[in-house]
Amino acid sequence: MTEKKKRIVIALGGNALGNTLHEQMLAVKTTAKAIVDLIQEGCEVIVAHGNGPQVGMINHAMAALSREDPNQPNTPLSVCVAMSQAYIGYDLQNALREEMYNRDIFDIPVATMVTQVRVDPEDPAFKNPSKPIGHFMTKEQAKYAAKEYGYIVKEDAGRGWRRVVASPLPQEIIEIGAIQTLVDSGQLVIACGGGGIPVVRDYENKGCYKGVPAVIDKDLGGELLAEDCDADVLFLLTAVEHVAINFGKPNQEELEDLTADEAERLADEGQFGKGSMEPKVRAAIKFARSRKGRTCIIGALDKAAETMAGLSGTRIHE
């Protein structure tokens, strides 16, 4: 009887993808090596990823086009997220195939799923948009963007003005049935890029979906994907080996093993950066509590195999 493979959802952080087109093409080769290491260890892998630099670049380019050509309407943020999913997926697919072929693995197809994720239009995040995206603007450019495109803009720590959008919680992955079918057939699936394209129900159009100007945290999107795909492990790959408390202080302490209750207590104490490590820890807590036996691991991209073997990283479990 063939032993069931351990199913892992890997959520890739920004360091796995680079900040420009050229950086991305180089970064995904290293990222592919880490992912294929896990496949060779006997794991069944599903990939989610962030898209911060990429969606900002696309949004900036499309806004510039609309300024140059009055007949070209501004592109909605939801469409920019979709664009980023496709072109990140394109590079990841090719890098993963190349790495598998280099190791004589020819029987695992790779597919990217352009993924919509439903959010709640009544989510409190929509009342207080706070997630900065895109490039910095002068005050005059910010005023123009607010007037012409309806952007909400805020000054960012004296560095200039930026567009801010809501970051609502993910509620439902619209394409989950297709994703599950691909995964169950043995494909390596890339899904929920950038947390997913945020959509809400359009009840004026038979309950179909329409995009909203928001971004979904990619770790929370990856967590929902891991639950829905019945994963055993959620692996949040980042730039550091461990979650730490008292970060950057003389008494900094790296953590290797935490229960969900311990992690929640530390998060509530403010031990983790709001915009950096805390979302990962909150996603880890949710996944660990979602089913008995589930574990979330937070660790470094370049030590993925060692982390899965328990030699690095922080494990959070019930």
Side-chain angles (χ1 to χ4, degrees), residues 118 199-211:
R118 183 179 62 79
V199 297
V200 297
R201 278 284 178 90
D202 183 1
Y203 290 105
E204 294 180 1
N205 186 25
K206 300 179 182 178
C208 294
Y209 299 96
K210 62 180 179 181

Side-chain angles (χ1 to χ4, degrees), residues 118-127 168 171 199-201 203 212:
R118 183 179 62 79
V119 298
D120 183 352
E122 301 302 319
D123 190 300
F126 285 109
K127 293 182 172 61
Q171 302 292 331
V199 297
V200 297
R201 278 284 178 90
Y203 290 105
V212 289

Side-chain angles (χ1 to χ4, degrees), residues 137-149 153 161:
M137 297 177 279
T138 64
K139 189 173 184 178
E140 292 70 27
Q141 289 171 328
K143 283 183 176 178
Y144 179 88
K147 180 182 177 182
E148 294 297 320
Y149 308 138
V153 293
W161 295 71

